[in-house]
């Protein structure tokens, strides 16, 4: 069976931590973890099942330090990829207390860059168990991937990831 590519960024923070939780739940032999900072279209092409992990550093909260995230750079290669037959599930770190009006907006940002490709984005989540005011990460009433809030709800991460992974395996054949 071909491996699942977990593309995550940035490194060293909560996004990487959750990448390891996913790795552990899927089985280390079934996945390959790749920091998007070190990846390009040739690495993406190697996988048919992909998990994209990102955090939200919202536009209205930009700090000069955060101007170019690893994903800004990585997404520039999307136009060179043949997405046919690829399934992508996304998870996104956010903080629903500090940024309730921009909760996990990055899901929407990455989705917008995949929407007109042949890739199939899977693994949407119900908004019901989350507290927030607005999010660009929602389409047709669902989060476009799994929201994770390690800043305020770290105790929920394990169950959230577990339930999501089980759905990915059952519904999408990951
Ligand atoms: C400058 C800054 C801006 C942020 N903006 C948002 C935001 O707009 N929406 C949100 O949900 N979280 C926002 N966050 C919270 C981060 O997404 C959250 O802390 C995440 O866990 C960071 O993961 P990382 O350390 O792996 O990047 C922001 C954090 C920082 C430091």
């Amino acid at each position: 069976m071909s491996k699942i590519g977990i593309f995550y960024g940035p490194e060293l923070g909560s996004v990487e931590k959750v990448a390891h939780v996913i790795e552990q739940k899927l089985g280390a032999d079934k996945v390959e973890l790749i920091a998007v900072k070190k990846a390009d279209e040739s690495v993406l092409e190697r996988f048919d099942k992909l998990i994209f992990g990102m955090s939200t550093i919202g536009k209205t909260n930009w700090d000069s330090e955060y101007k170019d995230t690893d994903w800004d750079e990585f997404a520039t290669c999307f136009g060179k990829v043949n997405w046919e037959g690829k399934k992508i599930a996304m998870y996104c770190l956010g903080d629903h207390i500090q940024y309730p009006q921009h909760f996990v907006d990055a899901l929407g940002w990455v989705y917008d860059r995949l929407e007109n490709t042949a890739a199939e984005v899977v693994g949407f989540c119900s908004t019901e168990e989350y507290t927030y005011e607005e999010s660009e990460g929602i389409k047709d009433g669902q989060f476009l991937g799994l929201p994770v809030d390690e800043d305020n709800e770290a105790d929920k991460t394990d169950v959230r990831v577990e339930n999501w992974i089980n759905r990915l395996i059952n519904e999408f054949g990951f």
Side-chain angles (χ1 to χ4, degrees):
M1 200 185 82
S2 61
K3 288 194 173 186
I4 299 163
I6 304 179
F7 288 78
Y8 69 93
E11 293 173 275
L12 304 175
S14 297
V15 174
E16 180 165 344
K17 181 181 167 191
V18 175
H20 287 292
V21 175
I22 295 169
E23 175 189 36
Q24 186 244 322
K25 291 194 184 295
L26 281 168
D29 55 326
K30 296 196 176 60
V31 306
E32 192 172 328
L33 254 65
I34 298 145
V36 297
K37 205 170 188 170
K38 296 169 190 143
D40 60 13
E41 63 278 10
S42 66
V43 188
L44 275 173
E45 292 282 11
R46 289 176 29 222
F47 300 92
D48 283 337
K49 291 170 187 169
L50 305 99
I51 293 177
F52 282 0
M54 70 230 52
S55 55
T56 307
I57 305 297
K59 287 188 206 86
T60 54
N61 312 304
W62 287 95
D63 185 289
S64 56
E65 207 185 320
Y66 295 100
K67 273 209 178 86
D68 288 308
T69 70
D70 295 359
W71 278 91
D72 284 294
E73 178 64 30
F74 182 53
T76 61
C77 82
F78 285 8
K80 300 176 202 158
V81 176
N82 175 9
W83 295 100
E84 201 72 50
K86 295 194 190 299
K87 281 184 187 172
I88 303 169
M90 305 194 287
Y91 71 91
C92 184
L93 274 291
D95 176 338
H96 80 282
I97 303 284
Q98 292 280 343
Y99 306 98
Q101 296 180 340
H102 295 278
F103 183 51
V104 296
D105 276 1
L107 279 175
W109 189 91
V110 178
Y111 183 84
D112 284 350
R113 278 145 190 83
L114 294 168
E115 199 176 10
N116 294 321
T117 72
E120 184 186 358
V121 181
V122 299
F124 294 2
C125 288
S126 164
T127 56
E128 268 171 32
E129 60 156 303
Y130 293 90
T131 308
Y132 64 96
E133 289 169 26
E134 286 173 43
S135 174
E136 289 177 14
I138 294 174
K139 190 175 154 74
D140 298 333
Q142 286 193 299
F143 283 114
L144 295 159
L146 175 72
V148 182
D149 185 343
E150 275 285 300
D151 297 327
N152 310 290
E153 298 178 325
D155 55 326
K156 295 188 179 175
T157 298
D158 201 68
V159 172
R160 282 174 169 166
V161 171
E162 174 111 24
N163 291 341
W164 185 64
I165 290 291
N166 287 340
R167 280 186 35 229
L168 289 183
I169 293 169
N170 292 331
E171 289 178 36
F172 308 112
F174 264 66

